[in-house]
Amino acid sequence: MIRLGAGAGFAGDRIDPAVELAREGALDYLVFECLGERTVAAGQLRRLTDPDSGYDPLLEARMRAVLPVIEPGGTRIITNSGAANPLAAGHRVAAVAKTLGRPTRVAVVTGDDALEAVRRLDPIVWETGEPLSRCADELVSANAYLGADGIRQALAEDPDVVVTGRVADPALYLGPLQHEYGWASDDWQRLAAGTVVGHLLECAGQLTGGYFADPGTKPVPGLARLGFPFADVRPDGTATLGKVAGSGGRLDVRTATEQLLYEVDRPDAYLTPDVVADFSGVSFQQAGPDRVEVAGASGAARPDELKVTLGFRGGWLGEGQISYAGPRALARAELAAEIVRERLTAVHDIAPEAIGVELIGAGAAFRGLAPASEPLEVRLRVTARTTDAARAHTVGWEVESLYTNGPAGGGGARSGTQQSLVVRSCLVPRDLVSPTVTMMEER
């Protein structure tokens, strides 16, 4: 069997559980999934001002933590931490390995950058229903979701570390399974089975109870030392899920079932670049403490098109927050919001539709789907999108000025200004993009 370990489930994930897996998990592969749609677009934005940036800021820290505990020629690392600049990320990994006295062979998978392709194609943007050329915002990035092919090609070069840009999350796990077991690119049943394994592992600690935990109804022990999962995958694609003995969390049929349905629209037709996976026949069986058997996946031919994440400059976002507590806290927060709205419009010439207000603690997360309650305290958050940083700064300034200009009892003001990024999506024919493998450094 091939043992795949989940070293990260998002860009800001913890590092110590990955070290635990690398040291005690007896892994064949350790996978760091660190890329979201906003993450890669934000990386492209950073790269515009610094051509050597654009990859995951925690990449170096992760490599410094896990490389020393992996035996040379042992566990291989696969990560999409390359984000918007996989080649620079690959060079960084090689440099870190050199400083650790650890000769490391690094393979980099590129080819997901579809910026020029979408400009030529002018596809329909999902969120607007109109051609890309009609979008008023400046397009700065377009990254296609590649599949497992590039990772499989990279592993054929016998690397210690594989760095990619935008690939579909399950493909990070499917690639090594294709490489090890020789699964054909049209073996839809096995590709679907590997995709199910990847989907279960891709969010790391979610599978072992992190996203499952709810005090009283779904208790999870040891969340402060949550262990990340691994999967022992057989040549037919069936697998046993597990975690390191003694680590925190829980792994059972309930946690696995919740993760199987996480971010899934149609369980019978889960679209990926490699296969259309059918989760509807997947079954779980408890095989022991923190061990779960997975079987029953099926699949159909992969889509002819690939999803592309589009990143646009969205101007600037200004933000201000302030708290109100005690009797009539909600009324005072609502009055404060009215004051700030009026001043941002009348004094600073910010369009009313560009201003957003949240009354945190009074039902803001429900976005109007539930009536506001009368809370003991309310946190007012005001945001506004502007075309320049100076006007964005006025949002926090106006919120902070509520201290002495009313209403009564405001405290804990905070403000911030940042470049705004708009993320949208489209489809492109898969033959417009293809993976390329580049080797960074020989052993």
Side-chain angles (χ1 to χ4, degrees), residues 2-7 20-21 24-30 173 197 200-201 204 207-208 227-233 239-245 247 251 289-292 294:
I2 301 302
R3 178 169 286 189
L4 309 172
E20 180 181 54
L21 263 182
E24 304 177 35
L27 303 176
D28 294 296
Y29 293 89
L30 178 60
Y173 296 88
V197 171
L200 290 167
L201 293 178
L207 180 62
T208 48
F228 286 176
F230 59 77
D232 292 324
V233 188
T240 303
L241 306 172
K243 69 182 185 70
V244 173
S247 61
L251 179 52
D290 296 317
R291 292 292 186 274
V292 176
V294 187

Side-chain angles (χ1 to χ4, degrees), residues 253-275:
V253 171
R254 293 180 69 192
T255 67
T257 301
E258 283 203 9
Q259 183 58 29
L260 181 71
L261 299 176
Y262 177 74
E263 291 186 336
V264 172
D265 179 24
R266 286 187 56 184
D268 64 336
Y270 184 69
L271 302 179
T272 80
D274 299 294
V275 64

